[in-house]
Amino acid sequence: MVQERRFSVNKAPMIRRADSDSNTKSIMLHFMIALIPIIIFGFVKNGLMPFINTVEDKNFAAVIDMLRPLILVIVGCLTSFLAELVYFVLVKKSKTPVNDALNSYSLIPGLLIALIVPLYTPVWVLILGCLFGTVIGKLVFGGFSKNIFNPALIGYLFIQTAFSGVVAAHGGNLNPTEVGTIVSGATPMVAFKADMFGSYDVLVKPYGTILDFFLGNVPGALGETSAVLCLVAFLYLAIKKVIDWKIPVIYVGGVFVLTYILGAFNGHAADLWYPALGIFSGGLMFGAVFMATEPVTAPKSPNGRILYAISLAVLTVLFRYKSNFPEGVASSILVMNMLVFIYDNICAPLRVEPKKWKVALVYLGFALVFLALFAFVLFTTGKFAPVEAAMINNPLFLGVGGLK
Amino acid sequence: MPLGMTKATHISEHKGHKELTKHKGILEYLNPKYVYFPANRPDLDYEICVKVGDEVKIGDVLTISKAYFPVITHSSVSGKVTAVDKKVWHPSGKKISAIEIENNFKEEVTYLKEQPLTKEGIIETIRLAGIVGMGGAGFPTHVKYTHPKYQTDTLIVNAVECEPYLTCDCVSIKHYAKELIQGIKYAMIANDAKKAVIAVKVCHQDVIAILEELLKDEENISLHLLTDVYPAGWEKYIVEKVQGKTYKSLPCETGAVVSNAGTLIAINDAVSKRLPLTKRVITVSGDGVKNPQNVLVKVGTLASEIIDKTGGYVDDLGAANLIAGGPMTGNGQFFDSFMVEKTTTGILVFKEIAGKEEACLGCGKCVDNCPVKLSPILIKLAYDDKDKEKMVKLHADMCMECGLCSYICPSRIELTEAVGKAKKVVRGK
């Protein structure tokens, strides 16, 4: 008889994809790789080119200024990494804090914040923003995988609300070349906010052509201007199956369609540049590819993700045309982050719901809410603004006028 | 994809592992010194028909399970019953009491009683031969073929074998193609089926070539090619692909009955050779064995002997996992001295990979890939919260434990286990 041999028993299934490829480490690696061209572009456009072409006195301060984009990126990464390191040492009492901090994707929030804040954000403001994003956006929830909001956007919003004056005083978004050429001193989104249905000469021409918007040769934060590089990153991440391709496609596509409809009602029916400007500006592409898809804070059910992306498109348009923040991407993603739990709770059971009419009813409900929100934007903006005035004055509707 | 249909996923990185055994012949190991048969299992109650000291021949009845569907087990060797309550490891992973038979190597056979070649006669032969579904589930075939409420016109032959590593069906078809076709014809009579469809994966080109050659003059038997996905061998998936419609609980609802290719070869043995089911082809594979191979063995042989017969373990085998069945749905074993059952499709040995479970990334891949469209991670969260209401709402009871969610999870979370437990909670209400 053959000698008996003892084996260790693991849980079924005995083969795991995580052991060969496509594990959490490779996902993070692909995510970082996808950001590299965008970082390089930001450095070349905002640091290197102005240094070569515009800056005349090439002294030490100018060199530091040239390296500014890279400094922002490195400081951002380091800050959020160190914050998590301290968290793992002090709170979690981890024996391998460096490893744990790396495994919890700690570099990414800081990196993303550095790529979306204005170029001349002081380093100390960036450090505060990264700390706020990592601690309040992530660690207070219990660390990676438990956070509700996108940590990077929490940090970004913090800088936007608490330090926008400081940032503007330090030079805001314009790099040395742009300071010389752009007369109004405003970024495209600010120009858009000033005249939402303005002509080509107002909205696009001061910055070049619509191709400049596509390539990223316009003023704006390091990462958000180049639509083409976001597109390349999107293709890479989608092919590597790191992100769900449906979210960016539906989100960006939705904003395009809704912006076109709004434009069409306000004299831009024949202008495709108008919705194109809508999707190439305001960090929409960057937000759609790198933030709306962030797995922890996006829905887990596929049908939930589709509704989530449509909601993002509607909310972004709503915020762009109706709120004080011109870009609308950050705020709509944060609002939707809050609702992800509800979306999953509604959508996941629908996939196995045997009663088809119930499924249809829920989707119809979502469609009506989307329509109502968009109809509100449409009928209170631009040409239809008198409707809004009438609504405010109508004692039955809003009652504001009635109170007066 | 129409609503309500199931779906499947390509397990790309393991496709090649079938190559370990696919092109090799079948090794025979038909003379074990001892064979073992379950005398008691927690889920089945056995009526033992022999006692210690009895002389038995191949085909003598040892036990009849007294469960809802009675199944007969025959001796696979001729010899003497030396024990009826020996504790032996079972492929389910538990140690059970078993009947031990000492082989006298005379190979004397008790043949089955001859039956007429009619529907009833063939079903009776299948019952007497103790034939069960040989794809792994082990549902009694004679019960499956008795479906008074439904009219069936199609016999679907499951030759898909979607589990990675396993090639026993694939190699059996290559070696016993004629027997398979004959078995199909008997099964068609048993089911009043007008046509038969052999479902096979498109990647098994050699199998397809052999079958196409044989099916030239068969008008009623055709091939249906399926893509290389998992779980393509799942009954519901095959029926949907072949019949174009789905069912609730039984394939008969669509007019189809599904049988594994190995089962049909066994039916042919029973009907034309009057031999009960006492042998089967089993895949020995994995990176822990020297010579991965398909082996024709007697039911009841110990796995350790089969592994030894193929050439044993690799020399530097340290910590390792042993699986009875396929890598996705098979059972892990503590010892290699477990008996082979009629339903054991493979013996797999893997060098252990000490993978660690990490925090959920939230990628939703488990939800995307679930064949029955469940939401494994949400069910796991509900299970961890002991939120039964939510588990019911998420239909945890629909899980068929294919293992795809745990397989695909980049964080190595034990989703299949959690959903399996949630399923028990939901069903136990």
Side-chain angles (χ1 to χ4, degrees):
Chain A
M1 215 163 150
V2 183
Q3 186 67 40
E4 197 173 63
R5 190 190 160 100
R6 208 196 146 86
F7 287 85
S8 48
V9 170
N10 290 350
K11 285 162 188 158
M14 305 289 168
I15 50 172
R16 304 296 174 97
R17 183 172 275 178
D19 294 335
S20 47
D21 64 347
S22 182
N23 47 28
T24 38
K25 279 202 184 65
S26 74
I27 288 176
M28 175 158 75
L29 196 68
H30 288 313
F31 199 84
M32 304 282 260
I33 290 173
L35 281 168
I36 288 174
I38 291 172
I39 297 170
I40 294 174
F41 172 81
F43 169 62
V44 171
K45 182 201 151 222
N46 293 314
L48 202 58
M49 296 309 283
F51 181 74
I52 295 169
N53 296 332
T54 316
V55 181
E56 284 170 10
D57 183 13
K58 293 186 170 40
N59 56 19
F60 179 70
V63 172
I64 294 292
D65 207 37
M66 175 191 86
L67 292 175
R68 186 168 185 84
L70 295 183
I71 292 170
L72 286 186
V73 166
I74 291 166
V75 167
C77 285
L78 265 183
T79 310
S80 49
F81 174 72
L82 289 176
E84 290 221 13
L85 195 66
V86 170
Y87 168 78
F88 275 107
V89 170
L90 294 184
V91 183
K92 291 269 171 173
K93 311 255 186 290
S94 161
K95 287 193 182 65
T96 53
V98 177
N99 224 343
D100 287 347
L102 281 175
N103 274 344
S104 74
Y105 295 59
S106 60
L107 298 174
I108 288 178
L111 176 57
L112 290 180
I113 293 173
L115 290 177
I116 54 177
V117 291
L119 179 64
Y120 281 93
T121 304
V123 169
W124 63 271
V125 171
L126 178 70
I127 291 176
L128 280 182
C130 291
L131 280 179
F132 192 86
T134 305
V135 176
I136 305 295
K138 192 169 173 186
L139 299 181
V140 291
F141 291 100
F144 171 70
S145 94
K146 299 204 174 60
N147 49 312
I148 293 171
F149 299 104
N150 189 320
L153 288 179
I154 293 278
Y156 170 72
L157 211 67
F158 175 70
I159 294 177
Q160 279 274 300
T161 44
F163 295 100
S164 56
V166 180
V167 173
H170 275 77
N173 250 323
L174 302 187
N175 69 35
T177 312
E178 287 156 358
V179 169
T181 52
I182 290 156
V183 189
S184 63
T187 61
M189 246 12 223
V190 177
F192 167 80
K193 197 69 202 174
D195 186 2
M196 289 191 295
F197 298 106
S199 65
Y200 188 84
D201 288 346
V202 175
L203 292 178
V204 180
K205 210 149 180 221
Y207 311 99
T209 64
I210 203 76
L211 188 68
D212 286 311
F213 277 89
F214 181 62
L215 296 177
N217 194 21
V218 290
L222 286 178
E224 67 176 26
T225 57
S226 176
V228 63
L229 285 181
C230 290
L231 205 63
V232 170
F234 163 72
L235 290 176
Y236 177 77
L237 292 175
I239 288 168
K240 291 283 177 194
K241 295 202 170 140
V242 172
I243 59 169
D244 185 350
W245 62 270
K246 291 189 225 73
I247 294 179
V249 168
I250 295 174
Y251 183 12
V252 174
V255 170
F256 185 88
V257 171
L258 297 183
T259 310
Y260 177 77
I261 296 173
L262 277 172
F265 275 97
N266 292 284
H268 288 301
D271 301 334
L272 270 185
W273 63 263
Y274 186 74
L277 176 71
I279 62 169
F280 293 157
S281 60
L284 176 72
M285 297 279 257
F286 189 83
V289 174
F290 293 103
M291 287 161 166
T293 57
E294 204 238 0
V296 174
T297 54
K300 291 165 182 63
S301 49
N303 48 348
R305 282 202 292 259
I306 291 172
L307 291 175
Y308 170 81
I310 301 174
S311 315
L312 280 175
V314 174
L315 281 186
T316 301
V317 170
L318 177 78
F319 286 137
R320 270 193 181 170
Y321 287 89
K322 303 306 299 175
S323 84
N324 293 327
F325 289 110
E327 81 282 273
V329 175
S331 16
S332 50
I333 294 178
L334 284 173
V335 168
M336 285 312 299
N337 282 169
M338 211 156 49
L339 300 177
V340 157
F341 182 68
I342 298 169
Y343 271 47
D344 264 344
N345 266 345
I346 294 173
C347 293
L350 284 187
R351 304 175 70 229
V352 284
E353 175 61 56
K355 294 191 192 80
K356 295 280 180 290
W357 62 267
K358 244 184 190 174
V359 180
L361 212 63
V362 174
Y363 288 143
L364 191 71
F366 270 102
L368 285 178
V369 172
F370 295 148
L371 269 179
L373 279 175
F374 182 64
F376 166 71
V377 180
L378 183 62
F379 289 115
T380 57
T381 318
K383 197 175 92 176
F384 292 106
V387 179
E388 188 183 18
M391 267 158 58
I392 292 170
N393 289 323
N394 187 335
L396 274 177
F397 199 81
L398 284 178
V400 182
L403 283 177
K404 281 178 194 164
Chain B
M1 189 171 56
L3 271 169
M5 290 283 202
T6 55
K7 54 182 187 176
T9 304
H10 187 54
I11 307 190
S12 52
E13 52 275 46
H14 290 284
K15 183 183 168 190
H17 294 284
K18 292 217 184 218
E19 304 301 318
L20 287 172
T21 52
K22 194 177 154 187
H23 300 295
K24 292 186 184 170
I26 297 180
L27 183 79
E28 286 194 2
Y29 176 53
L30 298 172
N31 50 354
K33 182 76 185 137
Y34 292 96
V35 286
Y36 300 87
F37 298 91
N40 189 14
R41 258 169 72 181
D43 49 339
L44 293 172
D45 205 3
Y46 285 101
E47 180 191 332
I48 302 169
C49 309
V50 289
K51 54 187 187 300
V52 178
D54 280 1
E55 291 287 337
V56 291
K57 292 179 185 172
I58 295 173
D60 280 351
V61 176
L62 295 179
T63 63
I64 301 169
S65 70
K66 286 193 288 190
Y68 183 55
F69 303 120
V71 180
I72 300 170
T73 305
H74 306 84
S75 173
S76 58
V77 297
S78 59
K80 201 163 92 182
V81 178
T82 46
V84 291
D85 55 357
K86 191 164 166 134
K87 293 276 179 262
V88 183
W89 288 101
H90 185 264
S92 61
K94 297 188 177 75
K95 208 164 196 176
I96 60 164
S97 69
I99 299 171
E100 182 185 62
I101 298 171
E102 190 181 350
N103 196 348
N104 62 13
F105 302 106
K106 286 183 190 155
E107 294 287 310
E108 296 161 312
V109 182
T110 308
Y111 289 99
L112 294 171
K113 227 167 70 193
E114 188 145 8
Q115 305 282 345
L117 270 184
T118 58
K119 177 181 165 70
E120 289 73 24
I122 291 172
I123 291 180
E124 181 64 6
T125 307
I126 291 171
R127 187 182 74 82
L128 289 175
I131 293 171
V132 296
M134 285 169 77
F139 190 78
T141 305
H142 69 274
V143 180
K144 196 178 217 174
Y145 287 180
T146 317
H147 34 75
K149 268 195 260 170
Y150 299 98
Q151 192 69 41
T152 52
D153 57 4
T154 310
L155 172 76
I156 300 174
V157 182
N158 184 350
V160 176
E161 202 166 48
C162 60
E163 281 259 16
Y165 289 91
L166 297 187
T167 54
C168 56
D169 281 356
C170 172
V171 172
S172 304
I173 297 169
K174 276 199 267 183
H175 277 73
Y176 309 114
K178 286 201 181 97
E179 286 85 346
L180 172 68
I181 304 291
Q182 198 54 46
I184 291 172
K185 286 178 184 163
Y186 293 134
M188 281 165 77
I189 298 173
N191 286 295
D192 297 326
K194 287 172 202 69
K195 62 178 168 97
V197 180
I198 305 176
V200 61
K201 269 190 192 175
V202 71
C203 54
H204 296 319
Q205 281 300 329
D206 42 352
V207 175
I208 294 167
I210 292 171
L211 287 175
E212 270 176 349
E213 183 63 32
L214 278 172
L215 293 180
K216 262 187 200 159
D217 343 298
E218 305 289 344
E219 280 176 14
N220 303 327
I221 308 176
S222 58
L223 283 181
H224 187 98
L225 302 186
L226 295 173
T227 44
D228 184 20
V229 288
Y230 180 88
W234 179 35
E235 202 165 65
K236 200 163 191 167
Y237 183 86
I238 300 181
V239 170
E240 283 175 7
K241 291 287 163 195
V242 175
Q243 299 287 81
K245 51 189 170 185
T246 189
Y247 60 87
K248 244 187 165 138
S249 53
L250 288 172
C252 317
E253 292 165 27
T254 68
V257 63
V258 188
S259 264
N260 180 266
T263 314
L264 292 162
I265 296 172
I267 290 176
N268 176 59
D269 283 349
V271 178
S272 47
K273 298 180 197 156
R274 292 197 285 136
L275 285 172
L277 174 52
T278 58
K279 289 184 276 191
R280 74 155 295 142
V281 178
I282 188 164
T283 305
V284 179
S285 189
D287 58 5
V289 289
K290 252 187 205 154
N291 299 312
Q293 183 103 50
N294 280 289
V295 195
L296 178 67
V297 298
K298 297 248 161 134
V299 173
T301 313
L302 292 184
S304 50
E305 292 177 26
I306 302 172
I307 295 170
D308 190 57
K309 201 73 190 170
T310 61
Y313 303 105
V314 291
D315 296 329
D316 57 341
L317 187 65
N321 296 136
L322 175 69
I323 305 152
M328 298 294 282
T329 59
N331 288 313
Q333 304 292 325
F334 285 106
F335 289 96
D336 58 1
S337 56
F338 68 89
M339 61 179 105
V340 166
E341 275 251 57
K342 288 172 188 172
T343 50
T344 311
T345 46
I347 302 169
L348 304 177
V349 184
F350 295 120
K351 289 177 182 163
E352 189 172 29
I353 300 171
K356 209 172 94 226
E357 185 169 331
E358 284 167 50
C360 173
L361 175 69
C363 63
K365 284 200 167 76
C366 53
V367 187
D368 273 340
N369 288 294
C370 177
V372 276
K373 296 182 190 166
L374 292 176
S375 312
I377 183 63
L378 298 180
I379 294 175
K380 183 184 185 322
L381 293 177
Y383 177 78
D384 292 345
D385 288 350
K386 309 236 176 309
D387 187 347
K388 187 175 163 186
E389 201 181 311
K390 199 165 173 194
M391 287 186 255
V392 173
K393 215 174 124 196
L394 290 167
H395 282 275
D397 55 320
M398 279 168 65
C399 174
M400 55 149 179
E401 293 174 63
C402 68
L404 203 52
C405 46
S406 284
Y407 166 76
I408 215 123
C409 177
S411 306
R412 239 181 174 282
I413 298 170
E414 303 294 351
L415 292 160
T416 309
E417 187 201 20
V419 181
K421 283 179 182 164
K423 174 179 165 180
K424 286 200 186 92
V425 172
V426 173
R427 288 199 172 162
K429 64 178 173 182

